[in-house]
Amino acid sequence: MMKETNIQSQVTSTIAGDDGEAVANSEETAKKLTLQMPNEGLEKPADAGWYVAVVRVNCETRIADSIRINLNYNHIWFDYWIPKVKVVYLDKRSNKRRVKEKLFLSTFIFCNVSQRQLDKIRFRSDVYKMLTMPGQRKIYQIPDQVIANYRYFVENDEEPVTAAPVPLKKGIKVRVTAGSMKGVEAYVQSYNGKKAVIGSEIKYISGATLTISRNLLEVVEED
């Protein structure tokens, strides 16, 4: 006959700090996943629009990533755009030309998010404010097409682009007919021989201009 052995259930006591450590590890894992796969499993809301958060200079990307990590962790869809341009420079060590990204507009994070979630951004300690229209309290929503046009200007790979600190004066409206910016609409600022300076703007924020061949432009008839 087998000898009966009494086995008592063992309960491991929780050491102080274990729970906090587990939560911290969970949050750290969520951060890594969000950076690798932003908005994974989340659906873009139908009312998502573009808004501008003003933050500390040279902290734009870090803060934008932090906002996305926080919102994604709480199952909220969020995307952003920070205007950057590619700059060619000479590497003194290798004496070779290299390309790097340079900030085009400092302090601005263009946030694509549901209007219902704006308070979760503007009340953060690292966000100075959300841009509003002059003389109004309502947060300024930028039309999708305005963002798309301006983004084409800044991110084009063919022509150097310049930031204009004030809104642009409107002239003849034109459309680019070829190249990486084909289909982009803008306003002519000036003519110079076979070249034209054209511009796009985000109202109340900034303009962007570039010089392009007049042969690549067609006039757009406005209603």
Side-chain angles (χ1 to χ4, degrees), residues 1-2 6 40 58 69 93 114 120 151 178 205 222:
M1 187 174 182
M2 292 182 61
N6 292 326
E40 179 73 11
N58 295 327
I69 288 168
R93 290 185 177 182
S114 169
K120 292 182 176 65
R151 195 164 182 170
I205 300 175
E222 296 192 85

Side-chain angles (χ1 to χ4, degrees), residues 28-144:
E28 191 62 33
T29 300
K31 289 179 181 179
K32 290 179 180 178
L33 288 174
T34 299
L35 289 173
Q36 294 171 4
M37 299 177 291
N39 294 317
E40 179 73 11
L42 301 175
E43 186 175 345
K44 180 178 179 179
D47 65 340
W50 288 98
Y51 306 88
V52 182
V54 182
V55 300
R56 186 177 179 181
V57 66
N58 295 327
C59 296
E60 297 86 357
T61 300
R62 177 179 62 79
I63 294 173
D65 282 338
S66 176
I67 293 172
R68 181 152 62 186
I69 288 168
N70 178 264
L71 293 183
N72 279 189
Y73 187 71
N74 288 286
H75 309 292
I76 298 169
W77 188 95
F78 172 84
D79 200 6
Y80 70 83
W81 176 55
I82 297 174
K84 296 178 181 180
V85 291
K86 292 180 180 178
V87 179
V88 179
Y89 71 100
L90 184 65
D91 188 330
K92 294 181 179 179
R93 290 185 177 182
S94 63
N95 202 34
K96 292 182 178 179
R97 291 184 179 276
R98 300 190 184 280
V99 178
K100 66 178 180 180
E101 283 192 329
K102 179 182 178 182
L103 202 63
F104 186 71
L105 292 178
S106 62
T107 75
F108 293 140
I109 300 174
F110 291 85
C111 304
N112 196 203
V113 68
S114 169
Q115 187 177 20
R116 293 169 294 169
Q117 310 301 336
L118 291 178
D119 284 352
K120 292 182 176 65
I121 299 174
R122 68 170 174 166
F123 291 136
R124 288 173 57 103
S125 61
D126 52 5
V127 173
Y128 293 151
K129 64 178 181 178
M130 300 292 290
L131 282 189
T132 59
M133 296 180 69
Q136 298 186 22
R137 292 185 177 181
K138 185 178 180 181
I139 296 175
Y140 175 38
Q141 181 176 352
I142 305 170
D144 291 355

Side-chain angles (χ1 to χ4, degrees), residues 85-86 104 153-154 156-162 209-212:
V85 291
K86 292 180 180 178
F104 186 71
F153 253 73
V154 174
N156 88 88
D157 293 327
E158 295 183 1
E159 303 289 348
V161 63
T162 303
T209 63
L210 60 82
T211 302
I212 192 170

